[in-house]
Amino acid sequence: QIHGAVGINSKGAFFVAYRDDRDKDKNYAIRVRGWDENLQEIITDAEVYSNAHNNSQPSVCVDDSNNAVVGFYDSNMTNYVKKDGKEVYDKVAGDVLLASVSGTTIGKAVSPTRLVWNNQKQPSVACTGDGHVVVVYADDADNNGAYETYVRGFNSIADIK
């Protein structure tokens, strides 16, 4: 287990997201654990995204109802780019994904853009106590090699789906 990230709410509940290669295939998944303010475990060592492609760069936040959002980088998403006037598959492309965590339920991992898969990386998520969420990430949507900083807000953790 490496590259841990922690999110804590105003009541003291906290979640930890981290990279894990428990089957030793060098294909890291993002996993999450969470505890309430009394240190009672809410979610025990759960994989965030079942289609793991050497995931990295975890980020996590938690609201005052003990719901969480895990942001991470998935390094093996489909991305087509124009090269010499042809559309070709770019294997090195990766994307930022977000997954909600409510109790022991982990929501479907989704792109914060909800548009096309782009070349995104370095997610950072933040939650307010009442569940508003902001994600900031780097994106090279136009594939020119220059990353720009993008931000997206959600009215609630439940809106991440």
Side-chain angles (χ1 to χ4, degrees):
Q1 299 164 346
I2 58 174
H3 302 138
V6 64
I8 188 167
N9 69 17
S10 66
K11 297 178 180 179
F14 63 97
F15 281 68
V16 177
Y18 52 93
R19 295 180 74 197
D20 188 286
D21 183 26
R22 62 187 53 205
D23 60 5
K24 299 183 183 350
D25 67 353
K26 297 183 180 168
N27 192 22
Y28 284 83
I30 301 297
R31 300 187 74 85
V32 65
R33 294 181 74 180
W35 293 266
D36 68 17
E37 57 274 10
N38 298 311
L39 298 180
Q40 297 299 308
E41 200 159 32
I42 299 168
I43 188 164
T44 305
D45 193 32
E47 189 170 270
V48 173
Y49 184 48
S50 62
N51 193 18
H53 294 108
N54 204 20
N55 302 144
S56 63
Q57 304 170 357
S59 179
V60 62
C61 67
V62 57
D63 71 10
D64 286 344
S65 297
N66 298 345
N67 298 306
V69 173
V70 177
F72 60 96
Y73 172 78
D74 182 54
S75 66
N76 197 21
M77 300 304 293
T78 303
N79 192 35
Y80 289 91
V81 296
K82 293 273 186 183
K83 289 187 180 173
D84 299 324
K86 297 179 184 176
E87 205 171 72
V88 295
Y89 178 66
D90 182 358
K91 292 182 181 177
V92 300
D95 295 285
V96 167
L97 297 176
L98 302 175
S100 61
V101 182
S102 180
T104 58
T105 303
I106 297 176
K108 178 183 174 186
V110 298
S111 166
T113 65
R114 293 193 184 165
L115 300 171
V116 296
W117 295 108
N118 295 313
N119 200 4
Q120 305 159 347
K121 61 184 180 179
Q122 300 170 332
S124 181
V125 295
C127 302
T128 61
D130 60 359
H132 289 78
V133 179
V134 173
V135 59
V136 176
Y137 56 95
D139 194 315
D140 182 21
D142 56 9
N143 289 304
N144 68 355
Y147 283 84
E148 296 85 27
T149 299
Y150 283 74
V151 63
R152 168 109 195 260
F154 296 88
N155 288 325
S156 73
I157 291 176
D159 288 343
I160 298 172
K161 52 186 171 187

